Amino acid sequence: MLKVQMHDTSWIGVEIHGAGPCLLLPVNPRPAEGPQAEEMMKWGVDPALGRSLIERLSGSCRVIAFDYEGHVQHAPKPDTLTPDNISRDFLAIADAASAQQFAYYGYSWLALCGMQLAQRTNRLSALAMGGFPPVDGPYKEMLRVTLATHELAQSAHDSSGSSPAAWDGSTDEYDWSQVEVAMSEAQARQFVTLYQSLQAFDDRAAQAGISCPRLCFAGSADLIEYGERWGDVRVDIAGPLIRRRAELEALGWEVEVLEGLDHTQAMQAAHVLPLLRPWLDSRLLS
């Protein structure tokens, strides 16, 4: 396994599989096991999601896989998880893997990180975003959610005298309105830092800075209603893709809406791969 130093001097493991055009893939290459796997399956999440994506995509791509979400949970970056620093981290991984040009696929907040990366480099050969709209993204709503999450994590810390046990998994795999906050204060605050830094970001104006082939998709039922503890925030992921489809296509995006699927369902390999692999093959191998 390749080890790469991140912007805060922490290190992340990187696995490389297959041959062909390079694909940066921020997923966990190791299947979850034991109680964590059982909990993920309760929520309809494949414990081997990352491995499933790697195995299929490495048939035609040189997949550079790294569990960035797991990394920031293990090594929180409460004051430095910004688009600039995330992009620096991704480029450091690409450099270490000798990937001068590379495609990128990310889901949910890792999808928006891909669009931020596209603003900062001309090395992207293709960009695929799942579970986050490239135009009219819910940046304000997600700041409210993460602020509430941070407040809950801080309250848990103050009442117990110690931070709650860190959950070793992906924030995308759970509906936060249905589970107890298991993040430490630092883990929660890093996402506040991320979304605060995006409040002035104009995603429509940013489209002019993306020149590579690009794909966006979401489930048609991807509308998350957060509960009272999160300020009754409504995060609409599918709506912008449905309402703005013609505009997105005019801006150069290929748009796919997966009928009947919610946020968790649309990220599963069984739905992602039939869409993503042929698209990557057509854009990278033609």
Side-chain angles (χ1 to χ4, degrees):
M1 178 183 290
L2 189 65
K3 293 286 188 179
V4 182
Q5 191 171 47
M6 300 287 89
H7 72 270
D8 61 344
T9 73
S10 62
W11 295 81
I12 191 171
V14 179
E15 293 189 10
I16 301 176
H17 298 266
C22 294
L23 169 65
L24 242 57
L25 191 65
V27 299
N28 187 352
R30 299 186 177 180
E33 298 177 344
Q36 183 188 4
E38 293 173 5
E39 185 68 14
M40 291 170 69
M41 287 187 287
K42 288 179 184 178
W43 290 81
V45 177
D46 177 8
L49 173 60
R51 175 59 58 181
S52 299
L53 293 173
I54 291 167
E55 287 178 351
R56 288 290 304 279
L57 295 173
S58 62
S60 56
C61 290
R62 180 174 180 258
V63 176
I64 303 163
F66 55 102
D67 184 12
Y68 196 73
E69 181 130 36
H71 171 75
V72 302
Q73 296 296 346
H74 285 294
K77 309 170 197 317
D79 300 312
T80 64
L81 194 69
T82 64
D84 279 339
N85 284 330
I86 293 169
S87 296
R88 284 175 55 198
D89 288 346
F90 290 176
L91 290 172
I93 291 167
D95 289 343
S98 300
Q100 180 55 38
Q101 294 290 127
F102 53 87
Y104 177 92
Y105 164 63
Y107 194 87
S108 199
W109 75 274
L110 291 167
L112 76 84
C113 291
M115 192 163 72
Q116 293 298 314
L117 179 63
Q119 307 298 308
R120 293 165 172 78
T121 184
N122 60 3
R123 294 168 62 181
L124 275 181
S125 54
L127 170 63
M129 294 177 60
F132 201 94
V135 170
D136 286 351
Y139 300 102
K140 290 182 173 57
E141 292 86 348
M142 286 309 302
L143 177 59
R144 290 174 61 193
V145 170
T146 52
L147 283 168
T149 303
H150 177 254
E151 183 177 343
L152 290 167
Q154 182 66 63
S155 297
H157 172 79
D158 292 343
S159 63
S160 67
S162 62
S163 298
W167 169 45
D168 184 19
S170 164
T171 55
D172 296 326
E173 292 164 357
Y174 286 78
D175 177 350
W176 289 2
S177 68
Q178 299 298 318
V179 297
E180 295 301 317
V181 173
M183 290 185 181
S184 69
E185 186 276 336
Q187 288 172 323
R189 181 153 51 98
Q190 65 187 340
F191 292 104
V192 174
T193 295
L194 173 61
Y195 284 105
Q196 281 179 332
S197 68
L198 288 166
Q199 291 309 291
F201 177 62
D202 185 339
D203 55 13
R204 184 171 278 99
Q207 300 304 314
I210 308 174
S211 58
C212 64
R214 44 214 183 269
L215 166 73
C216 61
F217 70 89
S220 66
D222 195 342
L223 172 63
I224 305 173
E225 303 274 2
Y226 288 89
E228 183 178 354
R229 290 187 299 166
W230 283 266
D232 296 314
V233 177
R234 185 174 185 267
V235 177
D236 187 2
I237 299 296
L241 269 63
I242 295 169
R243 293 189 301 269
R244 304 286 186 185
R245 183 165 195 154
E247 178 185 355
L248 285 165
E249 291 175 343
L251 288 167
W253 289 90
E254 295 183 49
V255 181
E256 296 288 346
V257 178
L258 306 179
E259 188 60 36
L261 303 184
D262 63 19
H263 194 69
T264 299
Q265 292 166 338
M267 73 185 291
Q268 302 310 306
H271 301 297
V272 172
L273 286 168
L275 173 65
L276 183 60
R277 178 165 176 175
W279 184 81
L280 285 171
D281 288 350
S282 68
R283 296 301 175 271
L284 301 179
L285 301 177
S286 58

